[in-house]
Amino acid sequence: KAGAQEDRASYFATQQSMGEFYIDLLMRMDKLDPAAGHNAEAFEAAERERARSLLEMLAESRVDIRQGVDPKLLQREHEIAGLLNSNAQRLLTLRGTGAEEKAAALKKEISDLENESQQIELAIRKSSPQYSAMTQPQPLTLKEIQQQVLDSDTVLLEYALGEERSYLWVVNPGTVSTSGLKSYELPKRSEIEKSVREVVDLLSARGTYVSSELPQQKKARIARADARLPQAAARLSQMVLAPAAAELGNKRLVLVTDGSLQHVPFAMLPVPMPNAASATTPLVAEHEIVSLPSASTVAELRKQIAGREPALKTIAVLADPVFQSDDPRVSRQASISKTAIIKKEAVKKDTASSGSIVSATKVSSLGNEAQEENSRILVHLAATEADNASGGQLRVPRLPFTRQEADRIIKLAGEKDSFEALDFNASLATATSAELGRYRYLHFATHGYLDSEQPELSAIVLALVDKNGQPQTGFLRANDIYNLKLPADLVVLSACQTGLGKEIRGEGIVGLTRGFMYAGIPRVIVSLWSVNDRATEELMAAFYQKLLKEKLTPAAALRQAQMAMMKDKQWSAPYYWAAFVQQGEWK
């Protein structure tokens, strides 16, 4: 499923240069004749260029395109999904082991399976009566967006980056199509990208692994990044927000970003001021912020959930999975050698505050700083934890604060209407079971795995071993997610880089978020970088306090939680609170 969707998105991306030229032409015409409405035409052209395949995908999700299809096709589709999952997991374990030939063969096998999967998806669509009868959705016009999507408390900011110049359209609700639309010319793509890279690099310095770096060196590097970040963020804010500052008011900001701007946590950018040096108040202090792949997406999401019966129970939480066979939770009957037990106990003593299961050599070389910044990203681990002491095998550290996070959420929700899957129960089998369909909110607290080249292989990492320490498939991948039916209101992916994926021109980021939207979820909260385990526990506890006890909307609850973290001296750095963003419906 995910591969076929990416294929369609990639095709549209090949047409993007013509669309970019057309938008630029219309905006240049608008300069010559501002009263002709060319800026409205350019905005609608940008909306058409963006997320066409996503609109088609969401419309498809409302019908059962597999009904009446040859069972053999469906069986092979299921088999391929399983093979892709297991092979991708095997490929990850080969990273850093020197087994280049095995890895290359496995990549070839994965590629062949993906090609076959896409052919099967095409055959299913061709033979599906429901698909052939489906009306293809069209992007909304400016007037339709103003009347059907926006409300009096919401303003839309839509960006289009270009080779020579970029554009920003600000849309307010209105009854006439050209009413409430303002457009602004911004610097060219390369200038914006340079500024974005600087901000993101400085922002994520705490979560960046540098080989052979000593604790004091890391501390000095982080201090330098913290000192430079405010000015870098102010420059970016002046570049992409300041032109429209007068239009923002105190309204909710719905952002449709483009290119590298999709990696920017707008919440931490300072409110634009006439003097860039005086811009210090974070945008989240004055605005609720929501991200969208396109404005038209909201209308399709609303159709998807229209008339749907709300889930009867409150929340299901999957957290603190078992990743390693030498985890203390594995049965003592598991085949763990005496040497492994001794090594494990040594590591436990050195990592008591973090719960990480890494090699003793690794812990002693990184010291307390490694424990302090324990993050929830497996792509980081794949590059750093395959070492000689672990026999060249990837070792996935436990995330102890995910358990505390889960316990705090369940306490807020009440055990009667909640479901908590921990340890071995935080598994792929649980995540894909019908049980989750009974809950309004779904929360995954674990490692994330990002594959920016093959986004269908990106995953939420669940239990990788069973109670006897035997390996099992534990990656909840995009392919699995597309095949779920989840009538939940919200999914929270409390892991690293879950909002990222493969960036496709004109289509945005293809990753886990699209899979959950296809599965029936109108709102997804995801992260933009490698989040800190301890800080994320605090952020999520504050978020669910606002959501479950104070009955705020998810977007409003996230804003309040981020502001609370921002005011706490321990977590005031944007790295700790700004990573999570909400995508999708805000009502």
Side-chain angles (χ1 to χ4, degrees):
K1 173 69 65 182
Q5 298 296 346
E6 184 194 343
D7 225 25
R8 281 186 278 176
S10 297
Y11 168 75
F12 287 134
T14 63
Q15 313 302 312
Q16 179 68 8
S17 58
M18 288 300 296
E20 187 178 299
F21 171 79
Y22 181 55
I23 290 168
D24 190 58
L25 177 62
L26 288 170
M27 291 303 293
R28 289 164 69 183
M29 291 170 64
D30 182 65
K31 270 189 175 181
L32 298 174
D33 187 2
H38 294 304
N39 63 339
E41 293 181 71
F43 168 77
E44 291 179 351
E47 187 67 16
R48 284 195 302 271
E49 289 293 316
R50 195 168 273 121
R52 285 170 297 185
S53 64
L54 178 57
L55 287 179
E56 181 181 341
M57 180 191 79
L58 292 176
E60 177 187 305
S61 71
R62 290 188 280 118
V63 299
D64 184 3
I65 68 167
R66 283 160 178 74
Q67 187 176 339
V69 172
D70 184 350
K72 291 182 180 178
L73 275 178
L74 301 181
Q75 176 61 27
R76 183 54 183 162
E77 179 190 38
H78 179 73
E79 291 171 356
I80 290 174
L83 289 169
L84 277 171
N85 202 333
S86 59
N87 284 349
Q89 192 164 318
R90 284 171 55 206
L91 180 61
L92 183 63
T93 64
L94 291 176
R95 289 186 62 172
T97 65
E100 287 82 5
E101 288 187 12
K102 286 184 179 179
L106 207 49
K107 287 180 181 178
K108 174 66 166 56
E109 189 175 338
I110 289 171
S111 178
D112 291 343
L113 286 169
E114 286 175 335
N115 290 335
E116 185 180 353
S117 177
Q118 291 175 19
Q119 292 303 313
I120 289 175
E121 290 294 336
L122 181 61
I124 288 173
R125 288 185 173 84
K126 283 183 177 180
S127 60
S128 170
Q130 283 75 18
Y131 185 79
S132 61
M134 189 180 78
T135 301
Q136 299 299 316
Q138 296 298 316
L140 301 183
T141 64
L142 171 60
K143 185 175 182 179
E144 288 169 335
I145 289 170
Q146 289 175 305
Q147 295 180 338
Q148 299 176 29
V149 174
L150 300 179
D151 54 67
S152 59
D153 297 321
T154 305
V155 61
L156 169 68
L157 279 67
E158 186 151 337
Y159 291 86
L161 305 189
E163 293 298 326
E164 296 183 13
R165 58 194 70 82
S166 302
Y167 298 103
L168 164 62
W169 296 273
V170 180
V171 185
N172 282 286
T175 56
V176 181
S177 63
T178 55
S179 172
L181 172 69
K182 297 288 181 67
S183 55
Y184 305 91
E185 185 175 312
L186 305 180
K188 60 185 178 181
R189 178 187 291 113
S190 60
E191 289 184 28
I192 292 176
E193 286 178 344
K194 181 180 178 182
S195 184
V196 167
R197 280 195 302 271
E198 182 183 20
V199 169
V200 171
D201 287 348
L202 294 172
L203 188 57
S204 58
R206 279 176 171 78
T208 302
Y209 174 83
V210 178
S211 179
S212 302
E213 185 178 48
L214 297 175
Q216 61 269 29
Q217 293 173 322
K218 181 173 183 177
K219 187 175 182 179
R221 175 172 59 80
I222 290 172
R224 290 193 298 271
D226 285 349
R228 292 173 53 197
L229 179 59
Q231 285 190 339
R235 283 193 294 270
L236 182 58
S237 177
Q238 291 299 112
M239 194 177 290
V240 301
L241 286 171
E247 301 296 319
L248 304 184
N250 289 314
K251 292 186 176 184
R252 176 187 301 109
L253 304 183
V254 174
L255 303 172
V256 178
T257 53
D258 186 28
S260 61
L261 287 177
Q262 295 169 104
H263 300 262
V264 174
F266 274 69
M268 60 77 58
L269 292 184
V271 174
M273 303 290 287
N275 177 8
S278 63
T280 57
T281 303
L283 204 63
V284 73
E286 296 187 3
H287 302 275
E288 186 179 305
I289 301 169
V290 177
S291 295
L292 293 174
S294 76
S296 301
T297 301
V298 174
E300 194 58 45
L301 287 171
R302 289 173 182 170
K303 289 179 185 177
Q304 188 183 52
I305 62 175
R308 189 167 76 185
E309 288 293 323
L312 296 176
K313 293 184 175 290
T314 305
I315 190 166
V317 180
L318 282 75
D320 195 16
V322 181
F323 302 122
Q324 299 286 157
S325 61
D326 58 359
D327 187 296
R329 293 169 289 177
V330 173
S331 168
R332 291 301 175 185
Q333 278 69 48
S335 55
I336 305 176
S337 68
K338 185 176 180 180
T339 303
I341 293 175
I342 293 170
K343 183 182 292 185
K344 177 190 68 180
E345 294 301 324
V347 171
K348 274 182 65 182
K349 290 177 182 177
D350 284 337
T351 60
S353 64
S354 74
S356 298
I357 304 174
V358 296
S359 72
T361 302
K362 183 69 68 179
V363 172
S364 63
S365 67
L366 294 182
N368 292 331
E369 194 71 21
Q371 303 166 32
E372 223 174 82
E373 302 303 340
N374 192 18
S375 69
R376 300 185 183 184
I377 181 65
L378 198 62
V379 73
H380 163 78
L381 296 168
T384 63
E385 304 299 354
D387 57 23
N388 293 331
S390 60
Q393 297 282 323
L394 171 69
R395 298 184 63 79
V396 184
R398 183 179 180 182
L399 295 170
F401 293 110
T402 63
R403 192 182 201 89
Q404 295 175 206
E405 181 178 313
D407 289 344
R408 292 172 74 175
I409 293 169
I410 296 299
K411 185 176 180 180
L412 285 167
E415 293 184 8
K416 181 180 177 182
D417 291 323
S418 304
F419 171 71
E420 186 177 27
L422 303 173
D423 307 320
F424 304 101
N425 292 327
S427 64
L428 181 62
T430 300
T432 55
S433 70
E435 173 68 20
L436 294 196
R438 303 170 60 200
Y439 296 89
R440 185 178 180 188
Y441 306 123
L442 305 178
H443 185 93
F444 295 86
T446 181
H447 284 297
Y449 170 60
L450 171 68
D451 193 319
S452 57
E453 292 302 314
Q454 297 171 296
E456 67 277 9
L457 300 183
S458 294
I460 298 298
V461 187
L462 300 170
L464 298 178
V465 296
D466 63 18
K467 292 180 180 180
N468 295 314
Q470 296 302 305
Q472 65 180 12
T473 302
F475 282 18
L476 179 65
R477 298 189 182 279
N479 281 320
D480 302 307
I481 296 166
Y482 274 103
N483 290 320
L484 299 177
K485 291 297 179 186
L486 298 171
D489 291 342
L490 169 72
V491 163
V492 178
L493 302 182
S494 184
C496 289
Q497 298 186 357
T498 49
L500 303 183
K502 184 175 182 179
E503 186 181 315
I504 296 179
R505 290 279 297 278
E507 282 293 320
I509 289 177
V510 176
L512 297 174
T513 299
R514 288 182 177 227
F516 279 109
M517 287 183 173
Y518 185 93
I521 309 293
R523 305 165 192 83
V524 185
I525 290 180
V526 292
S527 63
L528 297 178
W529 59 78
S530 300
V531 296
N532 173 271
D533 189 26
R534 177 73 179 86
T536 302
E537 179 209 339
E538 290 299 322
L539 178 69
M540 290 302 165
F543 168 73
Y544 282 105
Q545 170 68 32
K546 301 295 180 182
L547 181 72
L548 300 175
K549 293 298 185 182
E550 300 181 27
K551 307 301 181 184
L552 298 183
T553 64
L558 179 61
R559 179 194 176 207
Q560 292 295 326
Q562 289 177 323
M563 290 174 64
M565 292 281 286
M566 183 176 64
K567 294 173 183 176
D568 186 324
K569 185 177 180 180
Q570 183 178 3
W571 309 117
S572 60
Y575 166 77
Y576 293 119
W577 58 262
F580 287 93
V581 298
Q582 180 181 317
Q583 299 187 4
E585 174 67 279
W586 59 86
K587 290 186 176 179

